[in-house]
Amino acid sequence: MKLIYRLVALTALVATPLPAVAATIQAVMYKNPQCSCCESYANYLEHNGFKVDIKPVNNLSQISSDAGVPADLEGCHTLMVDGYVVDGLVPVDIVKKLLTERPAITGITLAGMPTGAPGMGGEKDGTWTIYAFTKDGKAPTVYATE
């Protein structure tokens, strides 16, 4: 009888699916050496399934421009992730939406450093507009609002 219970217990264990382990999303962040909110944003991403390699640079504006980010929509850092550019403090759910949907764009950006955004202090005040951009000279379009 003990053997039957052990077999039933073993069968139940083998038949129970294991939780899927999500792969870590690799990203490289270019940031001004003096900016601490960028490091807070990287920490926020790492708590949400990313591994961020931080690269302090003194030519962030040039890196953003080379990546296709419109000058008037630049954020405080430029993140390269899975073939896309994510500029600024874009909420992680929108970054993951981008990586899931895989639209034919160069990247997305949340311009400036809005209060309450991931990595920034304070309370969110109003709606954020995240723009999609391409390198072909077309005007940016709204990708998401939050």
Side-chain angles (χ1 to χ4, degrees), residues 3-4 6 8 12 18-20 23 25-26 28 34-35 40 55 66 68-69 74 87 93 96 109 111 113 133 142:
L3 181 56
I4 292 172
R6 286 184 186 166
V8 169
L18 296 174
I25 302 166
Q26 301 293 322
V28 177
Q34 303 82 7
C35 186
S40 295
K55 302 214 178 265
D66 290 349
V69 181
E74 286 182 12
D87 210 74
D93 58 326
K96 288 183 176 181
T109 181
M113 299 168 70
F133 59 90
V142 174

Side-chain angles (χ1 to χ4, degrees), residues 30 57-69 78 80:
Y30 297 92
V57 296
N58 291 314
N59 62 338
L60 181 61
S61 186
Q62 184 65 52
I63 289 171
S64 296
S65 175
D66 290 349
V69 181
T78 300
M80 308 297 186

Side-chain angles (χ1 to χ4, degrees), residues 48-99:
N48 285 282
F50 289 75
K51 172 64 179 126
V52 182
D53 181 14
I54 299 173
K55 302 214 178 265
V57 296
N58 291 314
N59 62 338
L60 181 61
S61 186
Q62 184 65 52
I63 289 171
S64 296
S65 175
D66 290 349
V69 181
D72 61 334
L73 294 177
E74 286 182 12
C76 59
H77 62 263
T78 300
L79 187 76
M80 308 297 186
V81 56
D82 201 16
Y84 287 101
V85 177
V86 176
D87 210 74
L89 304 166
V90 179
V92 73
D93 58 326
I94 296 174
V95 176
K96 288 183 176 181
K97 174 182 185 242
L98 170 73
L99 298 177

Side-chain angles (χ1 to χ4, degrees), residues 107-120:
I108 57 176
T109 181
L110 175 59
M113 299 168 70
T115 301
M120 292 295 294

